[in-house]
Each structure stands twice: as C-alpha cells, then as structure tokens.
Amino acid sequence: MVDHVGTVFLPGDTIHNLNKSEKTGKIIIGPGLRQESETIIVSKPGILRHKEPNIYWIDSHQKKYVPVKGEQVLGVVTAKAGDVFRVDVGGSEQATLSYLSFEGATKRNRPDVKVGDIVFARFLVANKDMEPELVCMDGAGRSSGMGVIGRDRGFMFTCSLNLIRKILSPGCVLLKTLGNGNRFEITVGMNGRVWIHGRSVVDTIMVANAISAAEFMDKDQIRAMCSKLADRFIVVE
C-alpha cells in the first residue's frame, strides 16, 4: 500500500508511485482522478482511497452527481420526446432513455413508462462530449431489477454521494442490521438517491431517517441505533 492512501488531496495535485497490477502493469482510476499521459491528476478535493489490487479513487463529500458509464442510478421521467424519455438524474443535464432499452421491448410492445415515474437504470453513455444515455438492461439484455419502480408506493429521498458509497460498501452493517426483524424494499442509486418501501409509512420514514443519520457513524454506533429502532418496529406492528 502506498503512503498516499488516506491523504487529503486538492484539485490539480498530482499523485505518483501508485501500485500497479502485477499482471497488466496498469492502474484503474475512479471518480476524482484523471490521467494525462503518464500523470495522475486529482480533479476534486477529498481523500485518496484504494482497493486491491490496483483501483484508486477520491472519496469526496459532494451532492452534485457527475454521470459515470456503468453506474446504476435512480431517475425521474420528466418528459417523452418521440421514441425517448427524458430523465432527471440529478446531474447538470438530463439523460435520455429509449423505449427499446427495456427487457422485451419492441416497437409493438412498448414499456409502460409515464412522466413522473421513478426508473432504476444504468448509464450506457456518459462523457463530457455526448448526452448521457440510460438503459434498463444489463449486458445480456435482462432487466436485472432495473426499470420502473415505486409507482404509487414508496418514498425517494436524496443524500450525499459519500453516504451512498458507504452503505453500498461490503463492510457496512447498516442495511443488514436494519433488516433484522424488519422487512422493507430498498433501491440505491449512485447519484445520491434512495427509494424505500416499508410495511407502513412510519416504518418507511424510520428507515429513511436511520440511513441519513448513519453517514458519520461507525459500526458500533450503527448497531446501537438499529437496536433501538428494532423495538420501535415491533411496537408499530
């Protein structure tokens, strides 16, 4: 592990001597970093993080989402223009979603998508020179849980991108602990949006508040909070 990991960097800083893959001799860079020739440059402020064997990114507290190809997001359909839908994903511009970008969709069998619907989708195209494009299928053409969700039920709220990365990390105990003795549906988008549907309105609000409160908690604090909430869930029943 290089000494740079865990260090705070500012935009414009350069990073050297990162660990490369033994097989390919390459480095994989994520959000907050960009490569110019042989130089790795920091593009946003934050802490340098590392995942074995050769993946690096900047852990930054931010709410403004920048689309990244392959990331799954929660969007809101704002309009229909011809054969595509316009989707608000919280970025600087809206993304497009073709009606053919759903599993089993054809010209005769169009998906049931309405303005105002929440869609769970992934970015097929996301770069500074092209309009962002979403699809509701994986590489094999299957929905894999993507598509329209939460019509007439559930609750969607927005949180920081840092919290999203935290609750999706393998080491986070929040969702697993909240699920002990309490049933709820949850969909998490990398753009800082979370959709929840609990057994009741009270359960849904409690889960949403627990997720929001967990951003700066450690594992023990999260477990203690979930333990207190477990009693409340039982009372509600």
Side-chain angles (χ1 to χ4, degrees):
M1 184 69 66
V2 295
D3 294 336
H4 297 308
V5 174
T7 302
V8 176
F9 287 90
L10 297 176
D13 290 344
T14 57
I15 304 177
H16 306 280
N17 302 321
L18 299 180
N19 292 337
K20 297 182 179 180
S21 170
E22 295 182 358
K23 293 183 178 180
T24 64
K26 296 182 179 180
I27 296 172
I28 299 176
I29 59 174
L33 298 174
R34 72 174 190 270
Q35 185 168 2
E36 295 185 2
S37 186
E38 298 297 322
T39 305
I40 304 297
I41 301 177
V42 178
S43 59
K44 63 182 180 181
I47 302 172
L48 180 66
R49 301 297 188 189
H50 172 252
K51 182 178 180 181
E52 294 292 345
N54 63 330
I55 302 175
Y56 295 89
W57 72 96
I58 294 293
D59 189 359
S60 176
H61 289 257
Q62 66 180 72
K63 285 193 173 182
K64 191 66 175 180
Y65 178 69
V66 178
V68 177
K69 182 179 179 180
E71 285 192 344
Q72 294 180 314
V73 296
L74 282 167
V76 179
V77 179
T78 60
K80 181 180 179 181
D83 293 335
V84 300
F85 302 99
R86 306 290 298 179
V87 183
D88 172 25
V89 294
S92 58
E93 61 179 326
Q94 295 192 355
T96 60
L97 174 65
S98 170
Y99 75 93
L100 291 174
S101 298
F102 293 80
E103 181 180 6
T106 63
K107 290 185 177 180
R108 291 186 177 182
N109 182 30
R110 299 198 175 205
D112 181 20
V113 181
K114 301 176 182 177
V115 173
D117 280 345
I118 299 173
V119 292
F120 185 49
R122 69 179 179 91
F123 277 106
L124 180 67
V125 176
N127 62 61
K128 62 181 180 179
D129 300 317
M130 298 180 66
E131 188 177 42
E133 181 180 343
L134 295 167
V135 293
C136 290
M137 298 183 296
D138 59 18
R142 298 180 179 178
S143 64
S144 299
M146 290 180 281
V148 177
I149 66 169
R151 182 178 288 173
D152 300 325
R153 64 190 179 97
F155 169 67
M156 186 175 74
F157 67 98
T158 303
C159 58
S160 72
L161 304 185
N162 182 69
L163 178 56
I164 293 296
R165 290 191 291 268
K166 178 177 180 177
I167 64 179
L168 290 179
S169 65
C172 184
V173 300
L174 176 62
L175 298 182
K176 182 178 180 180
T177 309
L178 275 176
N180 292 336
N182 175 50
R183 296 192 301 273
F184 61 89
E185 300 175 63
I186 184 169
T187 303
V188 181
M190 292 302 296
N191 57 334
R193 293 175 177 173
V194 181
W195 176 87
I196 300 171
H197 179 238
R199 291 174 293 184
S200 68
V201 174
V202 174
D203 280 8
T204 300
I205 294 174
M206 289 174 65
V207 172
N209 289 340
I211 292 173
S212 298
E215 181 167 4
F216 302 106
M217 291 183 178
D218 58 28
K219 291 183 179 180
D220 292 335
Q221 291 172 326
I222 290 175
R223 291 191 180 99
M225 174 185 65
C226 293
S227 178
K228 293 180 180 179
L229 287 177
D231 298 333
R232 298 288 299 274
F233 287 128
I234 294 173
V235 170
V236 170
E237 289 182 320

